[in-house]
Amino acid sequence: MRRKLRLVPLFAVALTALATLAAAPAEAQPAPVTKGEEPANGPERNEVAASDPAVLTAAAAGENVAGSRAGYPRQTRLRVFPEDPADRSIKLGLVPYHGIAPRLNAVQARSDRVSVEVVGRSGLGRDLYLVTLTAPERPAQTRQQTAWRELIENDPARAARDRGLDRDYKVPVWINNNIHGNEWEGTDAALRLIEDLATSRDPKVRRLLEEHRIYFNVTANPDGRVAGTRGNANGFDLNRDFVTSSQPEGVVMRELVEHTQPVMVLDEHGYIDGTLIEPTGPPHGQNYDFDLYIRHGLANGLEMERAVKALGFPEAQQVIVPFRDIPPGEWDGWAPIYTSQYAMFHGAVSYTIEIPLQVNNDLYDTLPVDELRRRATINAAVSEQTMRTTLDYVDRHAGELVDNQIEIFRRGAAGEPQRFVPDGFVPGFGPEDRFTTRFPRAYVIPAGPAQRSAVAAARLVDHLVAHDVRVRQAERAFRLGGRDYPAGSYLVDMHQPKRALANVMLETGRDISGDAPVTFDIAGWSHRLLWGASVDVVTGGDLRVPSRPVLVAAPTGRVDAPPGRDLAIVVRDGNDAKAVNDLLGRGFELRRRADATVIVPAAARVAAIEVADRYGVRFTQVPAGPPGAVLRRPTVAAAVAADELFVLRDMGFDIRPVSTAILNAGFDLSRIDVLMVSSGLRFDQLDPPAAAAVEAFLTRGGVVTRGGTGSRFNAATRLLDVRAVAGPQDANGIVSIVDSSGSGQSLVFSPQWFTNLGTGVTVEQRYGAGNPLLAGHWRPGDDGTGGPEAAGGQPAVVSGTDERGARVVMFGTEPLFRAHPKGLFAQVANAVYWASGTTRAAAR
């Protein structure tokens, strides 16, 4: 142990100020936690169609003025956003977003222990604030702290022997707040704690800040905070985006945990019947060095439990620790998509905290204001108590926690196997908690003909590097694992500090259907299988390959055709669709063949060079074949989930959001080419004029559907003669599929398949034979039906033209889910192009 253990509590619990709240009548004891179905977890995606994001009605005055960044403090005179009386936090008596900057400006003026930096902006342009509490540092001291932090990751064996680091490293903690916009109180607790630590005269506080850096993400989701929505302005649940990084707020959080390298992380949430404090229950992620997490993870979790109960609130006396209290799968730690589970890959002992008293959703509108504010005050006190207890724990165990982080990185760099964790390692640890994997020696992302998509390979490499996974590019041809690779191929050596993060992205994963009756969320996500690039798994061999570290992938965009010749691009990737839609938007006449080849006229060469560079795509000389049909930029009316709306627009499609209500309000379908239906549109709920408009549209337009809502629309409008069969609503994961090009993989959540195919229906994809589930969780229903074997060999995507002329494509898979399976986006793009009236081609 590196530092002397400090057993004196750092903070006293101030119960007297909260006495009247604690004396409030006790509510009924909450029921035990059950599996949480939250927006974006599955069936909810079919019920509410996405609409256009809001816009800021008034920008902040002036600019943020940053001071020196050489040492600490790093203060910023923050611009102040206009008052917004519609901010949903106001009703709760909490700090509205526009009140945060003035509070932070004031505390900076009072203290040299507090730093505020603007580290990014939300989707709507609101500032994201990083607050750092630490004792002042001269520039040389800050450089030394940075050097020690880097040494811990880059040379952990040496870091373990560094006496200066042992004595003087400022041990970092990161506290993340308000990632779900309508779970407000963590922000208020953080502001209160920031002001206390910045101005306290207590010698213990001064010493704490001399030996630690405490980082606060004050509000991770300001747009959701203002609007009172769980998701951000794009409708994304930011606590599901960590290994996808599709949203600006998520990118900022990824960078914060990577660059601060905390030993402990709190992610403050709400609401559940009774305070919930992780560690999670099983299944636990199989890539963790779990022995290095669970000992401190459980110990501090139990300390937080005692501290929350000591506040004296009757409503906070039931504290749920999932590791101890919840059956497998109902609050698991399997997926790397959450803040706390993702932070563990960067060396942190981390927690999701759920405060106890609901104030959002229906209760926000139905409870009296006084009751809402009483609840919010208790919630903020509970949140603050978890923060204070964690700081006390880190202060007392700082040396052990730094050693812990060093050992995580050391094992990764050395390529050591995971340790066996025996039963009873901590109280309650048993066989149901034991999840491990065998790390491969390397992954290779080949260049040249073996790479099915150069743009997908570059995207994957850039994504890995952005997540602090080390990638090298070969400078010469080499042979590894029985295969030959050309120069330019990428190598991910799994002897690296963050091997667990590299592997959780690149491995297949596993079928955990037998390990738990349910899972809290998605259980399969492999970037190797879903992002469109060819990636080889290498189990052994000599990795002494002449190579250089990659900071950014090599450019892939190019035009390989002589001047004066027509060009061709095959839409195999979402970026190919971006390039095609970009050229269509510039007014060029393109043509499309049945095999998804798009022909670009020679006159568009300059524009093609530009879009090739922008999107990393390749144009070639047009191969021999038919001229193809004229392709127009389709206008799509989309009754879809928020993630699908985001991806469709990102691919450059002209999208008009619709729903049952919008169609009933008289939406004009006359200028629409394709109607896409997956969420929030019920034909049987349309009024007669709207239903007639849809019927008229079907005589000339196309339809693309996904999931249960789409299949119901198909049946109600009598389009394709198929029977849609639904698997269990919570079934999810990566599945094998077979199409005209061979075998591959797709993603499902609430899967569907199609039977009883009528005349003229074409099977575009089938589920793999037998059990198609490669990784994830998919069990039969309670009646024994609907399991993965029932889907094996069945059609997963079908297409056809109905008797009125409507071209229809139906997806039983999830090709746009949460903007994650990027290698599947082109399936939807090609479906839209075909359904809009060009030549036949659907999901390829």
Side-chain angles (χ1 to χ4, degrees), residues 163-176:
R163 294 183 178 179
L165 185 156
D166 179 50
R167 182 181 62 249
D168 294 327
Y169 181 54
K170 286 187 168 182
V171 179
V173 179
W174 180 46
I175 300 174
N176 196 48

Side-chain angles (χ1 to χ4, degrees), residues 350-367:
S350 49
Y351 304 85
T352 298
I353 306 295
E354 298 277 351
I355 51 182
L357 298 176
Q358 184 181 347
V359 296
N360 63 0
N361 300 336
D362 291 345
L363 294 184
Y364 183 94
D365 297 315
T366 58
L367 286 177

Side-chain angles (χ1 to χ4, degrees), residues 447-529:
Q451 181 51 254
R452 65 175 176 262
S453 174
V455 64
R459 177 176 56 228
L460 178 59
V461 167
D462 285 338
H463 188 76
L464 292 169
V465 170
H467 284 261
D468 204 24
V469 172
R470 298 170 187 210
V471 184
R472 301 186 68 85
Q473 187 171 33
E475 296 177 313
R476 296 203 300 265
F478 63 98
R479 184 172 179 80
L480 187 62
R483 297 187 181 98
D484 293 315
Y485 296 99
S489 296
Y490 298 100
L491 184 68
V492 182
D493 185 345
M494 290 299 290
H495 288 187
Q496 61 172 291
K498 295 181 181 177
R499 65 165 177 190
L501 182 54
N503 207 51
V504 83
M505 290 186 179
L506 295 175
E507 69 175 350
T508 298
R510 66 189 254 195
D511 180 353
I512 59 168
S513 305
D515 295 303
V518 293
T519 57
F520 192 76
D521 202 282
I522 195 78
W525 53 83
S526 173
H527 298 62
R528 176 170 62 87
L529 299 182

